[in-house]
Amino acid sequence: MLLLAVDTATPAVTVALHDGSSVVAKTTRIDARRHGELLLPLVDTTLRDAGLKLDAVTDLVVGVGPGPYTGLRVGLATAETFGFALGVPVHGLCTLDALAYASEVEGPFAVATDARRKEVYWARYDDPRTRITEPAVDRPADLADRLAGLPVVGAGALLYPEAFPDARGPEHVSAAALASLAAERLAAGGEGFLAPLPLYLRRPDAQVPKNYKVVTPK
């Protein structure tokens, strides 16, 4: 097996390769505005570092978010295109699950990423492999009481220490964690994957102006 993992649901543009036993190569760049420019070059770099070519890939896994519209669709469209071209399956995983998996928190905790608009995407976990709530988007102040006493992992927690006093890393998702979690689930029979469809949770930030006038040719 050679699993290619990509995630663009957060400011991290991240790629990894997993051979079924371990991560063999990984590359990450943090840039919230250049997902489309960075992803393919990072895929090339990761394959080159592993001494492999794209046609060696047998499975793909992609982070489905939650995340902002523009960045998230880059990873999903790329994974779907690779899957179609190679004729291999594309597995979706919640980006929050990969952050939870990469954390070193053993007991109950939460994961929160930056959702912009002074909000966070979040979910609760019993342990790094077990999510117990559906992903949601809320204002940090509205979560302070609900998550009181829990460690909170991710950039969303680090941005709002007044709401999440026990904020912990990792700050951003890593495709290495995404790949390792996917490899574990594939080895266990392939349960627990999502369709490779975007988990937006709200409307895109970009909106058509309310007073936009449509100009038609005479």
Side-chain angles (χ1 to χ4, degrees):
M1 181 181 81
L2 185 67
L3 176 68
L4 173 64
V6 300
D7 195 299
T8 59
T10 73
V13 185
T14 181
V15 180
L17 287 167
H18 197 291
D19 66 2
S21 299
S22 62
V23 174
V24 296
K26 58 183 179 180
T27 314
T28 297
R29 289 279 299 277
I30 309 299
D31 193 324
R33 299 182 179 277
R34 299 178 62 218
H35 296 84
E37 297 173 48
L38 293 173
L39 182 56
L40 289 179
L42 291 187
V43 170
D44 287 342
T45 297
T46 307
L47 287 166
R48 186 169 61 251
D49 288 348
L52 297 165
K53 294 185 177 180
L54 186 61
D55 60 8
V57 170
T58 61
D59 291 85
L60 289 118
V61 60
V62 59
V64 301
Y69 178 79
T70 303
L72 180 54
R73 64 180 179 173
V74 171
L76 285 158
T78 300
E80 287 277 47
T81 301
F82 284 166
F84 178 78
L86 297 171
V88 302
V90 181
H91 312 284
L93 278 178
C94 176
T95 297
L96 301 179
D97 290 356
L99 267 166
Y101 185 83
S103 76
E104 297 181 355
V105 184
E106 293 300 326
F109 65 100
V111 172
T113 59
D114 182 18
R116 305 174 185 172
R117 302 185 192 174
K118 298 182 180 179
E119 293 179 328
V120 295
Y121 298 118
W122 70 281
R124 284 187 61 163
Y125 293 79
D126 266 347
D127 59 61
R129 292 174 174 81
T130 309
R131 175 162 45 84
I132 59 173
T133 66
E134 291 299 316
V137 58
D138 286 289
R139 291 186 177 276
D142 296 334
L143 296 173
D145 289 341
R146 295 169 67 181
L147 302 182
L150 292 179
V152 185
V153 173
L158 296 167
L159 278 171
Y160 302 101
E162 68 285 354
F164 311 117
D166 191 1
R168 304 190 186 185
E171 182 176 0
H172 298 295
V173 68
S174 164
L178 193 76
S180 296
L181 178 57
E184 200 174 274
R185 291 185 178 180
L186 285 170
E191 298 294 326
F193 290 107
L194 303 172
L197 299 172
L199 186 60
Y200 291 132
L201 300 188
R202 68 182 186 201
R203 296 178 64 82
D205 290 334
Q207 300 289 337
V208 176
K210 291 182 179 179
N211 296 323
Y212 178 77
K213 181 182 291 186
V214 178
V215 178
T216 57
K218 294 182 179 180

